[in-house]
Amino acid sequence: MAEFTMELNDEQKEVRDWLHGFAADVIRPAAAEWDEREETPWPVIQEAAKVGIYSLDFYAQQYFDATGLGIPMAMEELFWGDAGIALSIVGTGLAAVGVLANGTEEQIGTWIPQMYGDANDVKVAAFCSSEPDAGSDVASMRTRAVYDEAKDEWVINGTKTWATNGGIANVHVVVAVVDPDLGSKGHASFIIPPNTPGCSQGQKFKKHGIRASHTAEVVLDDVRVPGSCLLGGKEKLDERLARAREKARKGGERVKNAAMATFEASRPAVGAMAVGTARAAYEVALEYATRREQFGRPIIDNQGVAFQLADMRTRIDAARLLVWRASWMAVNGKPFTAAEGSMSKLFASETAKKVTAQAIQILGGNGYTREYPVERMHRDAAIYTIFEGTSEIQRLVIARTLSGMPIR
Ligand SMILES: Cc1cc2nc3c(=O)[nH]c(=O)nc-3n(C[C@H](O)[C@H](O)[C@H](O)COP(=O)(O)OP(=O)(O)OC[C@H]3O[C@@H](n4cnc5c(N)ncnc54)[C@H](O)[C@@H]3O)c2cc1C
């Protein structure tokens, strides 16, 4: 087990500086344009692929870094550049992690390369769990996967919503119900290979922020995929379902919705994205407050402004510490006895919303215009308290973990 450290090692510092250079030179200058266009920034993803940032190798290297700091450091730097573009770059990684975590070696080897494509022909992937009637309440998912034994195929029907890269992905990872009696324990994940008949994009959403990231419905109409597309394989699924049925029978109670806690390990990564956006807005505000003069002196000479900046920086550092702690715990298999993953996501995402709003205030009228980036950062920051579990759901997970009570 790696010791917890608050200091990046030399190799990590090198990676951080390299990522920061890409974020400053390539991502940030393109941010306003792709926000206005509300389209996937394919040329920027391609640039990231060329230098090796958009690749499984890079993602896996950070993901398996024993200090736990690889992913949060990478997320913070890329999202410091721009949240919408960065989400377009890392969205595939979120789907790839679903396969890395649950797939067989063969599935990992077959599908992950197709998620990324190559630098001359980049592809993206999507992870589709949310549905119109199953957002926070994952257990009420309706998309159904039924096994056709004669053909060794799964038949999938349903509508997914809010899928990042949904419909434009080369590979979709779809969560579906295989046993409706087991709640979220009766769910399984499937690969939908490229160009599978019946899998199509529904509505593309026009969003408040992270507009360079594509978000859409995915319609699954009698989609047939080979048995080999069930992540982890049929044998493992049957064993898991048998255990869940046995537990439900013995306990004599409805299987509880465990899905809320399932994401505990991935939540610090979202916290790190929020830290990146918050830090970006804070830096713009600090620089502006030093330069802008009113009443014959820089506005930072007023405590009313300077103290806001002090609070902003304090919150950002506190958020990063929570994120790094939770990330280290996740990588080193430490149990989240106080829902530390949720804590980090809750605090960092609320920090990003608050700090970006303060940045607008410090920039005054300029902060409210698209001439300056902080209004975009504020629109972007609003996503962090919503996706990967809303702030209310994080509080629910934390409160339930602390109390052991079924708080609703
Ligand atoms: C831009 C974007 C990208 C996304 N990307 C993906 C993706 O790639 N894949 C994917 O599967 N999903 C994705 N999502 C979906 C996201 O995870 C959901 O939007 C989120 O889980 C909330 O679900 P909901 O929108 O249905 O809100 P609801 O669950 O309807 O919640 C509405 C409000 O009620 C509150 N609430 C609900 N239940 C409770 C409760 N028990 N106690 C207190 N308050 C409660 C919530 O906190 C919220 O404030 C994305 C969403 C967005 C907006």
Side-chain angles (χ1 to χ4, degrees):
M1 196 179 79
E3 287 291 315
F4 178 61
T5 167
M6 292 188 292
E7 184 81 39
L8 297 177
N9 60 37
D10 288 346
E11 203 180 316
Q12 288 167 330
K13 280 184 189 154
E14 225 171 86
V15 176
R16 181 199 58 195
D17 294 347
W18 171 60
L19 287 172
H20 188 75
F22 187 82
D25 300 340
V26 182
I27 297 181
R28 184 71 71 84
E33 178 192 342
W34 292 99
D35 174 59
E36 288 295 336
R37 287 173 69 162
E38 295 196 49
E39 283 170 14
T40 300
W42 290 107
V44 186
I45 301 177
Q46 191 163 19
E47 278 299 300
K50 275 189 195 149
V51 298
I53 292 172
Y54 186 70
S55 72
L56 174 66
D57 274 1
F58 174 73
Y59 206 79
Q61 217 177 340
Q62 306 314 319
Y63 186 73
F64 291 113
D65 172 8
T67 67
L69 304 187
I71 287 286
M73 171 270 289
M75 295 293 174
E76 181 177 334
E77 292 311 323
L78 294 173
F79 282 73
W80 173 91
D82 177 64
I85 294 178
L87 191 61
S88 288
I89 293 173
V90 307
T92 298
L94 304 178
V97 163
V99 179
L100 272 181
N102 302 310
T104 61
E105 295 226 334
E106 202 185 330
Q107 288 169 330
I108 292 170
T110 305
W111 299 112
I112 294 188
Q114 297 192 51
M115 291 181 164
Y116 284 92
D118 60 58
N120 294 319
D121 185 19
V122 284
K123 306 281 186 203
V124 292
F127 178 77
C128 313
S129 171
S130 303
E131 295 182 3
D133 292 325
S136 303
D137 183 9
V138 182
S140 50
M141 185 179 290
R142 286 199 206 138
T143 295
R144 190 78 164 90
V146 177
Y147 188 53
D148 178 346
E149 201 159 356
K151 292 187 174 157
D152 183 28
E153 284 178 348
W154 287 90
V155 186
I156 307 174
N157 278 289
T159 299
K160 293 293 176 183
T161 195
W162 306 124
T164 300
N165 296 336
I168 60 165
N170 201 34
V171 177
H172 291 79
V173 177
V174 165
V175 186
V177 177
V178 290
D179 185 334
D181 295 333
L182 293 175
S184 59
K185 300 249 168 174
H187 296 173
S189 298
F190 297 86
I191 292 282
I192 313 291
N195 307 316
T196 299
C199 175
S200 60
Q201 181 182 302
Q203 167 185 191
K204 178 189 168 187
F205 295 103
K206 285 179 82 67
K207 304 195 298 296
H208 177 59
I210 54 163
R211 301 197 303 185
S213 168
H214 173 103
T215 316
E217 287 178 334
V218 174
V219 180
L220 303 148
D221 183 14
D222 271 335
V223 168
R224 283 187 165 265
V225 296
S228 59
C229 284
L230 166 66
L231 283 181
K234 182 91 168 50
E235 207 173 300
K236 217 167 141 193
L237 172 70
D238 288 342
E239 279 169 24
R240 180 163 66 79
L241 293 178
R243 272 200 310 275
R245 283 184 200 117
E246 183 61 15
K247 217 169 163 186
R249 195 182 57 79
K250 268 195 191 151
E253 59 178 40
R254 190 178 162 268
V255 174
K256 277 204 292 194
N257 174 13
M260 283 185 184
T262 314
F263 299 109
E264 198 68 4
S266 64
R267 284 180 172 151
V270 180
M273 299 173 188
V275 171
T277 300
R279 193 185 107 210
Y282 158 77
E283 286 176 9
V284 174
L286 177 64
E287 192 274 329
Y288 188 90
T290 314
R291 191 165 42 80
R292 169 74 176 164
E293 291 193 3
Q294 285 294 278
F295 302 101
R297 58 181 193 269
I299 57 170
I300 200 170
D301 270 9
N302 303 294
Q303 286 188 0
V305 173
F307 283 11
Q308 281 199 69
L309 286 157
D311 283 348
M312 288 156 80
R313 177 60 194 265
T314 303
R315 282 205 177 88
I316 292 166
D317 278 21
R320 187 185 297 105
L321 285 176
L322 285 175
V323 165
W324 283 18
R325 176 181 72 167
S327 243
W328 167 78
M329 291 174 76
V331 168
N332 289 284
K334 288 272 221 188
F336 288 107
T337 52
E340 290 87 345
S342 291
M343 258 188 215
S344 71
K345 198 257 178 188
L346 171 64
F347 190 79
S349 55
E350 294 291 342
T351 292
K353 252 169 88 166
K354 189 168 174 59
V355 164
T356 52
Q358 286 175 300
I360 291 178
Q361 192 65 21
I362 289 173
L363 268 69
N366 281 332
Y368 200 64
T369 69
R370 294 195 181 181
E371 296 299 310
Y372 284 79
V374 291
E375 71 80 33
R376 184 182 68 248
M377 291 165 181
H378 186 52
R379 285 187 284 111
D380 292 344
I383 192 55
Y384 301 124
T385 61
I386 296 173
F387 69 7
E388 283 268 328
T390 64
S391 283
E392 292 72 29
I393 295 302
Q394 309 304 330
R395 290 190 178 98
L396 203 61
V397 172
I398 297 164
R400 282 181 181 174
T401 309
L402 298 181
S403 66
M405 302 293 285
I407 295 160
R408 299 191 320 138

